[in-house]
Amino acid sequence: MASKTDQLLIVVSILEGRHFPKSPRLSLVVQASFDGEHLATDPVEHKDQPQFSTELAWELDRRTLHQHRLQRTPIKLQCFAVDSVSKKRESVGYIILDLRSVQEVKQEPRWYPLLSSKYTKQRPALLLSMVLENDKKPSEPSPDRFKAKKAPPRQGSPAVTDLLPDNLEAVLIADQGYHQVGPADHCSDMFVLSVTVAFATKLEQLIPSTMKLSAEGSEFFFYYTLLGNDITSEPFHNLLSPDFEPERASVRIRSSTRILQTFLSQQPSLQIHLCCGNHSLGSTDVSLSALLAVSVDLENKAATVEGAFVLQPPKRIKQTLPVLPAELQPTVGVAVTLRREEVTPQSLGNKDGGGAQIHSHLPPSVPPSVTPAEQRPRSSSPVQKPPDSSPAGPALPPPSSHTESEAESLLEELQRGKEQAGLAAADLEAPVQSQTEATAEGGGSSVSVSAPKVSIPSSAHHYCFSLDLCSLGNLSLTHPIAATLRYSYQFFGSPAPIMTNPPVELQRNMEVSLPQSYCAFDFAALPPQLQDTFLRVPLVVEVWHRDSTSRDQLIGRAAIQLSHVLSSERSRLLASTGEQCWRQTHQDRIPVVKTHRPSEKVAELTYVATLEDLGLVKAREVIVSDSSQNEPVVPTQPPSHPAAPRPAAPSLNSAPLGPTVPTAPRDTLEYRTALELELWKEEQEDLFDDQLRKKELSHMQALAEEWRRRDREREALVKKKEVEYNVLEEQLQKTLSDLERREKQLAEAELETQRLQRELRAEHDLTQREVQESSRRLRQECDHRVALERDKVRLMEEERARLLQQIADGESRYKQLEKEFQLYREQQNVRPEFRLQSEINLLTLEKVELERKLESTTKSKLHYKQQWGRALKELARIKQREQENAMTRLKKQQAELEAMRLRYLATEQKEAVQQDRQELDDIRNELNRLKQQEEDRLGPASSLGGPAPAHSVNESAEEHLRCLLEERDTLLRSGVYTHEDRIIAELNRQIQDAMKERGNL
C-alpha cells in the first residue's frame, strides 16, 4: 500500500458542453468549489457546444482525502453566463460531484446535466472526468536505502524486450506455484499481484423494483477472473447490508519489472461481476494497466490502485432502471496491489501449493498458484457487522507448512474472532435460560402455559377498550376506491396492526359501513399512566386503497383523540362476575386528511370508542399472547382458592417393622406413591413447558430478525420506489407544465385566430359593401357618360353636315375667285409696271442673299478670330514652355560647355605653353645661331640671316589665328552657341589679339 502521507491531486477535467443556446453577447465560465477553494475556467464562447478543455486540480494528502470522503464533502461546479459589456454574471446551473467516486484509475468522461438550469428547454450538460493523481515529490536518496541494481546489458547483445513476442502470456508452473511471464533465463524476480474486494454499497439499486431483494435460497457473490483463474467471494444473502468479509486473492508471478509492465499494459481490464446464481446483476472494470501510471518503485514499495468503482447493470436491465444520482449508485471497493516478493530459492522450492486454501467455496479448478481468499482482520473492514449469535462452529484445522506467514496470522485472527463470537452467544443464552428456569420454579399451580409471564402491580386496573369503526363517507376524490382501514396502538399490548376486511368500494358523495371493524382490547394499566398516554398519543387510523393490479396506496390518515373518551360521561354497570364496573362511551365523526397535505380532507370517518374499568386486577401474573380482532386477550384468572402446598416425599425406610395399626388413607404407601407420581408428572410438565418456552423464544427471535430484515428490504424498496416516483413525478410535472403551456398557447392562438377571423369577416363585409356601392356608382356614371356621348355624337353629326355644306360653298367661291385672279393676272402682264415690279423682286432677293452671305462671313470672321486668338494663346503657351525647356537645356548645355571650356582652356593653355616653350627654344636657338653668326662677323651672312626669325614668328601667329577661327566656326556651326555666349566672346577677343599681334609683326 502507498504511504498515508503521499501528496495527491484531485483533477477535474472540464472538456466541453452541449445544448447551450447561442448568444454572441455572453460568454461561459465554470467555477469549481472544494473545501473553500474556488477555481475557474477561462471564458469561452456561448454557443451550442462550447469547448472548455480545462483541468482544475486541488492538492491534498491521503489522510485529508479520507476525512473528506467520510464527511462526503462535495465538489460543486457552477456555470455562469458573463455579459461582455457590463461584466455581469448570471448563474446557468450547477453540478454536484461525489468525492467518493474519484479513483486513481482514469475513467471515461461522462455527461453531467446542469441542475436548476435556466435553459429548461434544451437541458444543457457538461462533459467531465475526474481522476486522482499521485503528486509525490522525489525524495533525496539516502545511503541506508541504497540497493544494488542489475547491470545493464552488454553492448552488442540484443535487449530483452527486443526478444519478446508481440503478446506476452502467463504460463502456469504448477509444481513451483507461480506464473512465468517472459523468458525464464532473463526473468527471475518474484512478484505478487493481489486483488482485494473490500466492501459494497447500494447493491439493491441493481435490481428492478418489480423483483424481490432476497428470496429463499438466493445467494449473491462477486466473481472475477485473475490470469485465467476464476475467483468467487464468499456468498451473502442480504443486498442491503452485504455481510461478507474482505477477501484477497493473490497470484505469484515470476518476471522482471519492465516485462511485467509490458505484460500488464497488454492485459484487458479486470471485470468484477456481482452474480446471483448464473446471472450477472452488474459489473465494473478495473484497469490493470493503471498500475503503470502509479509512479512507485517496486523495489521499495508496492503499487496500489484502489477506490470505489461503480457497478454498471447489464444493457438489457439498464434501460429499465432510472438514472440515479451519484450518492445512490452501487459501488464496490476494490484494491489491486502489485509488490515484489523477497524469497530464497530454498523456500521457493518448498512451496508446492502456493498458499493455503482458507475458504472452501472456491472451485477446485483454481490452480495452486492462487492464494484464494485471504481474509483481512475484522478491524480493517469498512463495513461493521454485528457479532454472530450462533454457537461457535468446529475449530479450523491448523495451517499447513506451505501457508504463507500472512495467511497464518489471518487464520489465527479468524479462529480467535469465532471463539469470541461463540462466547458472546453463550453469554446471550445464559440469562434467557436462567429466566425460564426461575419462571418454571416460581409456578406453583399445575396449569401449564407456553408463553412467558409478566408480573402486574397491585394498584393496576383491568381495562377493556373497544373501538368500532362504523362508516366512511364524503369522499373528495374523483375516482372510487376499495377502502380498508388499518391501525395499531402499542399501549394496548398488541403490536400487530388491526385491519378491516374485505375492502369496501367507496364512491363520491356516498357513505358505506365497514365490515369486521369492531375490536376490543383487555389490558392492565395504572390510571395515571392511562390518562397520560391517552392525552399524548392519538390513535392513527390509515385509509388504504387496495388494487388487484398494483400495490396498496395510502389515501389518508385520521387521528382519534382518545382523551375524549376520558372526558365523556361515566355510567355504572355490573360485570359478569357480579362486581360493579364503570363504562365511558364517545362517538364522533373525524376527517381523513392526506399525509403530505394535512389541510386537505379526503373523507370522513365515524367511530364509537368505549372504555370499561373492571376494577383492580386479581391476577399477579398474566400470560403474554398476541391479540386478535375477534378474540381479545383476557388476563388469566387465578383459582379462587390457593394451591395446596406440595407435601414432602416420605422415606421408604421410615415405616416401623412392628405390628400394623390402622392408619389414615393418606398415610398409606399407595397414596404416597401415587402422590409422588403426580408430583413427578407435574415436574416433567414444567420441564416440558420450559423447553417449549425456549423454543418459542428462539422462534420469536428468528421471526423478529426476519421481520427486521424484511422491514429493511421494504424500506430500501420504498426508498428506491420513492426515487423512481420522484423522477417520474419530475417528468410528469415537466410534461404537465409543457402541456399547460401548450394549452395556454393553443388557447391564446385560438382566441387570436377567432379575433382575426372576426376582423377579416368584418373587413370582408365592409369591402364587399364598398365594392357593391362603387360598382353601382360606376354603373350610373357609365350610363350617364354613354348618354352624354350619344348627345355629343348627335351634335357632331349635325356640325359635320353643316361644315360639309360650308366646304362645298367655299369651294364654289374659291373656283370663282381663281377664275377672276387668272383674268386679272393676264391683264396685269401686259402693263410695264409689272416688269419693273418683277425686277425689284429679283433685286430684293439678291439683296437678301447677299446680306445672308455677309452675315455668315461676319460670323465666320468672328469665329476665325476666336480660333486665331486661341491658337495664339496656345502658341504663346507652347513657346513659353519651349523657352522654359530651352532655358533648362541651355543651362544644362552651358554647364556642360563650361566644363568643356574649362577642359578646353586647360588643354589650349597647355598647348600654348608647350608651343611657347617650343617657340622660346626656337628663338633661343635662333639667337644662339645669330650670336654665332654675329661673332663670325660675316658680311653676307649677317645681311641674309636677319629676316628669317621674323618670318617664322609670322607663321606661328597665323597658325594660332587660324586655329582660333576654326574653333569659333565649329562652335557656331553646332547651333548650340551664339555670338553672345561667353566662350564665343572669349574666342573673338583672342582672335582680335592674335590679329593685332600679326599686324605688329
Side-chain angles (χ1 to χ4, degrees), residues 218-322:
S218 61
E219 291 184 349
F220 304 95
F221 58 91
F222 287 100
Y223 165 79
Y224 57 93
T225 302
L226 184 61
L227 295 184
N229 305 307
D230 296 335
I231 311 296
T232 58
S233 67
E234 185 176 356
F236 54 93
H237 301 273
N238 192 358
L239 286 180
L240 298 176
S241 57
D243 53 352
F244 66 91
E245 291 292 336
E247 300 178 0
R248 179 171 66 244
S250 300
V251 176
R252 299 172 64 243
I253 302 174
R254 189 169 183 263
S255 181
S256 64
T257 303
R258 294 187 61 185
I259 295 178
L260 184 58
Q261 290 179 352
T262 306
F263 172 71
L264 291 178
S265 64
Q266 296 175 358
Q267 292 299 308
S269 298
L270 179 67
Q271 287 191 348
I272 300 178
H273 296 265
L274 174 64
C275 301
C276 178
N278 296 328
H279 301 284
S280 175
L281 303 179
S283 63
T284 185
D285 293 339
V286 181
S287 177
L288 295 179
S289 60
L291 293 171
L292 307 177
V294 181
S295 57
V296 175
D297 187 9
L298 293 178
E299 301 289 339
N300 302 322
K301 59 196 306 185
T304 303
V305 175
E306 60 182 2
F309 297 87
V310 179
L311 289 169
Q312 299 293 338
K315 292 183 179 180
R316 66 179 186 277
I317 303 178
K318 190 174 183 179
Q319 299 175 357
T320 61
L321 295 176

Side-chain angles (χ1 to χ4, degrees), residues 894 972 977-986 988:
Q894 285 179 355
L972 289 176
Y977 299 98
T978 59
H979 292 279
E980 289 80 9
D981 291 334
R982 183 179 177 182
I983 189 170
I984 302 298
E986 183 66 22
N988 291 332

